[in-house]
Amino acid sequence: MNATNTWEKVDQYIKERLIPHDTVLENALATNQLAGLPAYDVSPTQGKFLNLLIQMNGAKRILEIGTLGGYSTIWMARALPSDGKLVTLELDPIHAQVASENISLAQLSELVELRVGDALEQLAQLDSEGVEPFDLIFIDADKPNNPHYLKWALHFSHPGTVIIGDNVIRDGEVINEESQDPRVQGVRKFYDLLADEPRISATAIQTVGSKGYDGFVLGIVK
């Protein structure tokens, strides 16, 4: 058995043991696939991880940069209290429409505000509206803009805000300083900013599983 098959089988084992069958989430993934969305959703184990982090943090306000079909949005919104709020940003109007339908079917529309358009423009708009800081920020959009998203995440933070950045290992290519892939270079600049930023304490964790070899950054604003 090769390594990838082992990772997938272990993920399946964990899912079967620790993540109950959930029609809403499984239908969301099926809807995304039927609509032709790329399979960039977090895995079920990663979704549950985000859900637990929000519960541990006691977060009431969440910002998600990169909605796709709303699968991770559902996982996170479910962890919110009844007076919580999740703002999620999506560039593609087709993806946003699919996400809106999935969120509605999950009966979470009252907790989720889905904004459509360029994320950097939406973040500037949020700033102009004077939104309150967020308790947890999940960055999972186009990687070349990760450094910009991090700067905005810090802007919308308060002491104790948790910032998570997904897909920051990229099959190990993150250590290739000569990479011509703008996604890899965006992630490398993301690390550089984290290393030089005194306002946040962060680490990165490598992961393997059904989504391959990757990882995430986890930081807490001081």
Side-chain angles (χ1 to χ4, degrees):
M1 184 184 299
N2 65 39
T4 302
N5 284 341
T6 301
W7 299 342
E8 291 175 352
K9 289 181 181 295
V10 171
D11 249 12
Q12 184 63 28
Y13 174 83
I14 295 170
K15 178 184 175 184
E16 290 174 354
R17 296 301 183 276
L18 302 180
I19 303 176
H21 171 74
D22 192 308
T23 301
V24 169
L25 286 166
E26 291 170 7
N27 284 347
L29 287 179
T31 299
N32 292 353
Q33 183 178 23
L34 188 64
L37 272 60
Y40 295 157
D41 313 273
V42 299
S43 69
T45 53
Q46 293 165 343
K48 182 69 174 288
F49 176 76
L50 289 170
N51 181 283
L52 292 174
L53 274 179
I54 291 161
Q55 293 186 61
M56 286 187 282
N57 179 249
K60 288 188 174 184
R61 289 181 52 78
I62 298 171
L63 173 63
E64 179 182 40
I65 304 174
T67 316
L68 193 60
Y71 182 74
S72 56
T73 315
I74 294 170
W75 269 114
M76 292 191 290
R78 282 180 166 181
L80 286 171
S82 59
D83 60 344
K85 180 78 171 181
L86 189 156
V87 177
T88 184
L89 313 178
E90 175 55 44
L91 171 64
D92 190 307
I94 296 176
H95 295 178
Q97 180 60 39
V98 173
S100 180
E101 293 171 2
N102 285 333
I103 293 164
S104 177
L105 288 172
Q107 299 183 334
L108 293 168
S109 298
E110 292 186 4
L111 292 176
V112 177
E113 178 184 350
L114 174 57
R115 292 185 172 226
V116 185
D118 179 86
L120 294 176
E121 294 177 5
Q122 291 295 324
L123 290 163
Q125 178 63 31
L126 285 169
D127 186 40
S128 70
E129 294 170 12
V131 298
E132 297 177 24
F134 295 91
D135 306 314
L136 184 140
I137 300 172
F138 182 44
I139 302 172
D140 191 17
D142 56 309
K143 307 313 169 190
N145 274 319
N146 263 15
H148 301 298
Y149 297 146
L150 177 59
K151 290 176 183 178
W152 274 114
L154 288 165
H155 178 74
F156 287 123
S157 295
H158 57 72
T161 293
V162 172
I163 298 176
I164 305 166
D166 200 13
N167 309 123
V168 298
I169 303 299
R170 312 209 63 83
D171 285 318
E173 273 296 294
V174 68
I175 64 173
N176 180 7
E177 63 183 39
E178 304 298 330
S179 174
Q180 299 300 305
D181 188 334
R183 297 170 298 181
V184 172
Q185 291 301 331
V187 170
R188 287 179 60 86
K189 291 175 183 175
F190 184 69
Y191 277 107
D192 291 342
L193 282 173
L194 286 167
D196 295 335
E197 178 52 71
R199 290 175 291 172
I200 187 169
S201 177
T203 190
I205 300 296
Q206 300 180 74
T207 60
V208 296
S210 60
K211 308 301 287 189
Y213 172 36
D214 215 322
F216 60 89
V217 157
L218 176 67
I220 297 179
V221 176
K222 297 177 182 179

